[in-house]
Amino acid sequence: MRLELGKIKITDVQFGEKTKVENGTLYVNKKELVDIAMKDDRILSVNIELARPGESVRIAPVKDVIEPRVKVDGSGGMFPGMISKVKTVGSGRTHALVGATVLTCGSIVGFQEGIIDMSGPAAKYTPFSETFNVCVVIEPKEGLETHAYEEAARMAGLKIGTFVGEAGRHVEPDEVVVYETKPLLEQVAQYPDLPKVGYIHMLQSQGLLHDTYYYGVDAKQMVPTFMYPTEIMDGAITSGNCVAPCDKVTTFHHLNNPVIEDLYKRHGKDINFIGVILTNENVFLADKERSSDMVGKFVEFLGLDGVLITEEGYGNPDTDLMMNCKKATDAGASVVLITDEFPGRDGKSQSLADAVTEADALVSCGQGNLIIEFPPMDKIIGTLDYIETMIGGYEGSLRPDGSIEAELQIVIASTIANGYNKLAARTY
């Protein structure tokens, strides 16, 4: 598959009479965005707020982050199975509003969401302090069941993200980057002397609002499969996670997966990037065995010399990570794991809940138990009502002056995002 990604660089966001991109500024019509979300009768109210880098703004609780994109040419549309009809994506041309996001927040599932600071010392721990964010603050109708609220918020974000992305359809990109992965035999023959490398991408699928979607299907209902990397870059995977903030792989991260980006940069130079093995993280042992067995078979069948493995979440998914590591190693591949750690505030606890002897090469994205300080902010988008019950927060975290003391894991995509983005792919 060959995908042309047109990058339209956004340097500011403003409210305007029409949703459009002009001279690097994204203008959004507030009423249009509210009307899109309010078509769902489960939603009581919607407010649109803007947050820019450097502003004294705190956003909480945050559910998902979406980069606005539009399918300009090729098969399918944005977020197939969710917004557009189910059709294979990953080819043709897509335009992305780089530097802009649509960000859903509100009470949602408070304890499983997190914080973004647009300035101050905590801003360095989240990539979204550097983006121009269109914040969609969603409140549900009274008595709405939690799963229904999550779905309403998730779909509102994807719909608004798709609508805003349309503003880039006829804009000439600042840069066009081409990504291509050929069918297996052609790909191997293209660089026969380079090591064949794959990426095992583990999706959160534990249920109870720990969900990810593959072409609209809940990942816990699927079995491991092979994907062209460009499918993921083109919206085939969307997040539905209300999961520990620092481990939250948002829809933005699926569209901009830095492991895939890194492997493409090295493709044809010192590795032959074959593609992605997509798998899930289920809660029952039999499901873990089944999925990891299939991952091992894929590694063997594809003849991979090396693989990178990433996980989403921690604790229970650490077992999936180790099973995949062992079985990929047994299939003949050299394996490098990418994960964060939770060694306790004193650093003396076991960093991962499981381990195997085959896990002998690991890239750490950092540890989530570090205590950090959040200074007061002039403006709050959303609410701070849930701070002390969020993962990483505790009684007394929120102080009367609006400052917060909490563990690093309370920050949206802190360890995973920063670890991924700073990662230099290892030599296999």
Side-chain angles (χ1 to χ4, degrees), residues 61-376:
V62 177
K63 173 179 170 49
D64 195 16
V65 186
I66 300 119
E67 181 176 69
R69 294 191 175 191
V70 59
K71 195 74 187 160
V72 175
D73 181 60
S75 173
M78 289 311 304
F79 309 122
M82 288 289 190
I83 301 300
S84 64
K85 293 182 179 179
V86 177
K87 187 76 173 176
T88 300
V89 292
S91 61
R93 182 163 177 162
T94 296
H95 286 179
L97 304 188
V98 176
T101 79
V102 168
L103 185 155
T104 49
C105 59
S107 53
I108 308 182
V109 188
F111 76 96
Q112 290 277 31
E113 310 300 352
I115 296 171
I116 293 172
D117 273 8
M118 298 305 295
S119 63
K124 66 183 179 181
Y125 295 111
T126 173
F128 304 119
S129 65
E130 300 175 3
T131 53
F132 294 87
N133 305 312
V134 179
C135 305
V136 184
V137 187
I138 301 170
E139 295 301 324
K141 289 187 175 178
E142 185 175 355
L144 185 65
E145 192 271 333
T146 304
H147 287 78
Y149 184 16
E150 183 281 322
E151 182 183 30
R154 167 165 36 95
M155 294 306 296
L158 294 175
K159 289 174 183 177
I160 291 174
T162 302
F163 176 80
V164 174
E166 280 286 341
R169 179 178 291 277
H170 301 296
V171 177
E172 185 63 28
D174 297 284
E175 179 186 14
V176 176
V177 183
V178 177
Y179 303 90
E180 185 172 19
T181 299
K182 298 178 181 296
L184 179 61
L185 296 182
E186 292 181 44
Q187 190 65 72
V188 172
Q190 187 176 21
Y191 302 109
D193 299 325
L194 295 179
K196 299 181 292 297
V197 174
Y199 169 36
I200 298 173
H201 188 14
M202 295 170 50
L203 301 182
Q204 180 61 258
S205 57
Q206 292 176 275
L208 297 176
L209 303 171
H210 289 46
D211 303 301
T212 311
Y213 297 87
Y214 163 82
Y215 283 98
V217 174
D218 192 321
K220 63 178 170 284
Q221 299 175 8
M222 58 173 278
V223 294
T225 187
F226 177 83
M227 291 192 78
Y228 284 97
T230 54
E231 292 179 79
I232 300 172
M233 303 172 80
D234 215 17
I237 300 176
T238 54
S239 173
N241 280 321
C242 302
V243 69
C246 69
D247 284 289
K248 187 189 291 289
V249 179
T250 67
T251 300
F252 179 99
H253 288 103
H254 289 301
L255 292 169
N256 294 280
N257 187 310
V259 175
I260 291 176
E261 289 275 358
D262 235 20
L263 291 172
Y264 265 127
K265 286 177 182 177
R266 296 184 59 172
H267 178 61
K269 297 175 182 176
D270 54 1
I271 65 168
N272 188 347
F273 182 26
I274 299 300
V276 178
I277 298 170
L278 194 71
T279 188
N280 47 22
E281 302 170 356
N282 292 322
V283 293
F284 295 108
L285 182 59
D287 294 326
K288 294 177 184 293
E289 291 284 7
R290 182 183 303 110
S291 289
S292 57
D293 279 351
M294 296 183 73
V295 166
K297 286 193 291 184
F298 268 118
V299 172
E300 180 182 50
F301 178 75
L302 296 171
L304 298 178
D305 300 303
V307 295
L308 280 167
I309 309 179
T310 62
E311 70 169 325
E312 181 174 12
Y314 59 89
N316 187 293
D318 291 347
T319 294
D320 301 86
L321 180 71
M322 294 303 160
M323 284 183 168
N324 288 328
C325 175
K326 176 175 175 53
K327 293 173 185 180
T329 301
D330 291 345
S334 296
V335 178
V336 176
L337 307 180
I338 305 173
T339 182
D340 54 5
E341 308 174 58
F342 289 86
R345 295 178 192 174
D346 60 3
K348 295 180 180 179
S349 299
Q350 182 171 316
S351 291
L352 298 174
D354 202 355
V356 294
T357 56
E358 289 81 2
D360 57 5
L362 185 146
V363 176
S364 173
C365 296
Q367 69 108 334
N369 298 128
L370 176 72
I371 299 292
I372 62 173
E373 293 280 336
F374 300 77

Side-chain angles (χ1 to χ4, degrees), residues 340-419:
D340 54 5
E341 308 174 58
F342 289 86
R345 295 178 192 174
D346 60 3
K348 295 180 180 179
S349 299
Q350 182 171 316
S351 291
L352 298 174
D354 202 355
V356 294
T357 56
E358 289 81 2
D360 57 5
L362 185 146
V363 176
S364 173
C365 296
Q367 69 108 334
N369 298 128
L370 176 72
I371 299 292
I372 62 173
E373 293 280 336
F374 300 77
M377 291 284 158
D378 294 340
K379 181 178 180 180
I380 305 299
I381 296 178
T383 176
L384 299 183
D385 291 349
Y386 301 89
I387 294 298
E388 295 187 352
T389 56
M390 285 182 188
I391 293 177
Y394 39 86
E395 186 176 355
S397 284
L398 179 60
R399 300 175 179 132
D401 66 353
S403 64
I404 301 167
E405 179 189 80
E407 292 186 357
L408 177 58
Q409 62 176 315
I410 204 171
V411 180
I412 286 291
S414 54
T415 50
I416 286 292
N418 287 340

